[in-house]
Amino acid sequence: MTLDPVHFDGIAQLARRIDPGTDERDRRAFAETVWEEFLDPLLADGRRVLEPVDEQARRLVDCEAVALRDREFPTEHGLDAGTINPTTFKNGLVIDIAQAAMSTTPSDLDLHRSRTTVMTVHSNDETMTVDETWGKFDEGYSRSRAVKIPPLPRFAEGVVHALALYLAESTHARDHAEDVSDLLVLDGPLYPRGLLRWADQHPDLADFLLDDPRPTTVLENYVRLVEAFVDRDVPLVGFVKNPATRVITRTLKNNREIDVSVPWANDSALFTRLLERGEYVDDVDGERWERDTSALTYTNWFRSRGGVDRPLSAEGDALGVDRRLKRQAYEVTFFVVYDPRDDLLYRIEAPYAFTKDPATRERLTMQLLQDVAVAHGPPTIVEKADELARISNAEKASLRETLEAQFDTVQDRTYDDHRWDEQPY
């Protein structure tokens, strides 16, 4: 059923009870203050958690002009991993399956055929065993592994999901690193952000990171991946479609010298205010903001050492993973690009080992701006990798049925599973 007009109006009237506080003009003015006074560098307890790699600046480039320019990197590879999502069965098993794939432009059918598949399994039954050796399938083009997760009842689904996803992605990236000749674009952050966030969530997960070798092994894969690309002088970046970092906003909120409450939920909301161009124009209800959609706008590169980026900073411990290069080489650097055509913000990450060089930094910036301008969103190479790695809803259902038959059990279903069975998404 849809809402009757009277019900719709009743809900809409609730908005009249809400005073949003600072008006939009003041929010934009405060964003300018943050940009001018607090980001070069951003300090937290005397630590530099954010600072520009080069000169702090906001820039713009015409969408059509950047789309038509010569490419900085002749070839481009993309990497992504998809999962079936954690599934709980009535025999107590919690399972997720991830598959990783790499795309390339120009296309390479053998590379596109290759997959790395990981199944992670959790059970509170300590008699459950798993053969964790790597195996091959599809005539040797692909390989797979099952991994047992120790008892973590409260976090079982999150752990099996994260380890399946990141182990498949990082292993596939390392296996095919030599296939990348110019540039690799990861679909997502440079390092396993979900895994690195565990230490801040709960003591049980922090202990898991310290006591179990699997998370450290996964992070080591990413560290070795960076080292391999630095050794070959081939850049890699992470393209984050939905950045939700809070390093800036959290630091500002904790700064008692700022006597104005920080109005943004995360850093992306702040950067959107800083990069959105336009003007206030007269309207029937007063004034409204009219956005200029002709140009992509973007920031300089920043070095990030706060939040989940801290473990890989020069002062971080990298969860105990040995780092063979100078520690600064692994630090996360990033710039953000705002696409006014869709009112969306993206974050591009790269190791400082590459962005410390002005020429490489500029080439990476122009390449990713061109990719966004041409694709009208995330780079085509990323979407191509996503298509290769994605497990469709129908395939997820079939895989779950296969697991049910294999383990002589059924999925532990909820009402929501029943309710949404017939939905397309």
Side-chain angles (χ1 to χ4, degrees):
M1 293 180 63
T2 57
L3 288 173
D4 288 335
V6 65
H7 299 145
F8 184 93
D9 291 342
I11 295 172
Q13 287 173 12
L14 290 174
R16 300 174 188 171
R17 304 183 186 182
I18 300 172
D19 181 353
T22 309
D23 79 8
E24 193 59 28
R25 288 179 184 270
D26 289 338
R27 290 172 189 258
R28 293 183 187 277
F30 184 45
E32 294 295 330
T33 300
V34 170
W35 177 262
E36 296 293 337
E37 300 182 12
F38 294 102
L39 301 186
D40 188 13
L42 179 67
L43 300 175
D45 299 323
R47 294 179 52 250
R48 294 183 173 220
V49 296
L50 191 84
E51 65 178 329
V53 173
D54 55 352
E55 179 185 1
Q56 183 176 322
R58 286 172 289 179
R59 303 179 175 97
L60 62 86
V61 62
D62 181 78
C63 294
E64 184 176 348
V66 74
L68 296 175
R69 62 173 286 141
D70 292 336
R71 296 182 63 80
E72 295 291 341
F73 297 90
T75 65
E76 200 171 10
H77 287 68
L79 183 77
D80 193 20
T83 76
I84 69 168
N85 293 327
T87 304
T88 302
F89 296 90
K90 288 187 176 180
N91 64 358
L93 294 180
V94 182
I95 295 177
D96 202 355
I97 302 171
Q99 74 158 353
M102 183 177 282
S103 61
T104 181
T105 301
S107 292
D108 181 334
L109 296 183
D110 285 345
L111 180 64
H112 290 177
R113 178 177 176 178
S114 177
R115 299 287 191 277
T116 298
T117 304
V118 173
M119 176 186 291
T120 46
V121 187
H122 173 278
S123 175
N124 289 323
D125 183 351
E126 296 184 1
T127 65
M128 186 267 290
T129 60
V130 173
D131 178 1
E132 298 197 13
T133 56
W134 284 100
K136 292 186 177 181
F137 64 101
D138 189 18
E139 300 179 358
Y141 278 92
S142 304
R143 64 180 186 138
S144 60
R145 182 187 180 190
V147 177
K148 178 181 178 180
I149 307 301
L152 278 169
R154 291 185 58 190
F155 306 100
E157 292 190 353
V159 171
V160 298
H161 175 72
L163 287 185
L165 179 71
Y166 293 129
L167 182 57
E169 179 183 82
S170 61
T171 301
H172 200 73
R174 292 189 66 188
D175 286 347
H176 293 283
E178 294 289 334
D179 294 317
V180 182
S181 53
D182 294 304
L183 175 66
L184 173 63
V185 184
L186 303 176
D187 187 353
L190 180 63
Y191 297 114
R193 186 174 295 274
L195 185 153
L196 292 171
R197 194 179 292 117
W198 288 354
D200 298 327
Q201 288 187 348
H202 195 278
D204 287 353
L205 284 177
D207 292 341
F208 176 50
L209 288 174
L210 293 174
D211 298 338
D212 195 280
R214 293 169 183 82
T216 303
T217 300
V218 171
L219 181 59
E220 183 177 7
N221 275 346
Y222 287 90
V223 170
R224 300 290 169 255
L225 183 68
V226 169
E227 292 168 349
F229 276 74
V230 171
D231 289 344
R232 298 174 57 229
D233 196 26
V234 175
L236 77 161
V237 301
F239 189 93
V240 185
K241 301 173 184 175
N242 299 295
T245 56
R246 294 179 174 87
V247 173
I248 299 174
T249 50
R250 185 170 58 242
T251 302
L252 292 175
K253 287 178 180 179
N254 293 334
N255 188 339
R256 296 182 179 180
E257 297 178 3
I258 303 176
D259 59 359
V260 179
S261 61
V262 178
W264 307 288
N266 53 43
D267 298 349
S268 294
L270 167 63
F271 279 120
T272 297
R273 285 290 168 266
L274 289 169
L275 293 175
E276 185 182 32
R277 298 166 60 245
E279 61 180 350
Y280 286 98
V281 297
D282 292 331
D283 198 5
V284 291
D285 295 323
E287 287 186 329
R288 63 176 174 83
W289 176 260
E290 187 172 279
R291 188 167 59 246
D292 184 338
T293 60
S294 63
L296 299 178
T297 51
Y298 60 103
T299 67
N300 56 281
W301 288 81
F302 289 94
R303 296 174 73 168
S304 179
R305 307 185 187 95
V308 294
D309 293 334
R310 182 172 184 175
L312 273 301
S313 68
E315 61 189 26
D317 63 357
L319 303 186
V321 174
D322 176 56
R323 286 171 282 183
R324 300 169 185 169
L325 307 174
K326 291 182 179 179
R327 288 192 168 191
Q328 291 87 345
Y330 303 90
E331 287 191 332
V332 174
T333 64
F334 73 91
F335 80 99
V336 293
V337 55
Y338 174 70
D339 189 342
R341 298 169 297 182
D342 298 311
D343 190 24
L344 292 174
L345 188 94
Y346 307 110
R347 170 171 159 138
I348 294 88
E349 301 181 351
Y352 182 65
F354 293 111
T355 57
K356 66 181 179 181
D357 175 60
T360 303
R361 196 165 61 235
E362 180 66 12
R363 292 181 66 206
L364 289 173
T365 303
M366 289 298 106
Q367 177 74 33
L368 272 300
L369 288 172
Q370 183 180 52
D371 285 345
V372 171
V374 170
H376 212 301
T380 302
I381 197 68
V382 167
E383 296 301 288
K384 193 174 181 180
D386 177 79
E387 290 176 4
L388 292 171
R390 184 186 301 131
I391 304 174
S392 70
N393 287 344
E395 291 165 337
K396 290 176 183 179
S398 295
L399 284 170
R400 290 181 179 125
E401 290 173 1
T402 300
L403 294 175
E404 288 176 337
Q406 175 68 34
F407 299 123
D408 191 23
T409 187
V410 294
Q411 181 181 347
D412 189 8
R413 289 161 54 86
T414 66
Y415 175 74
D416 282 345
D417 295 322
H418 168 72
R419 179 185 182 188
W420 299 111
D421 269 350
E422 304 302 321
Q423 302 299 316
Y425 301 104

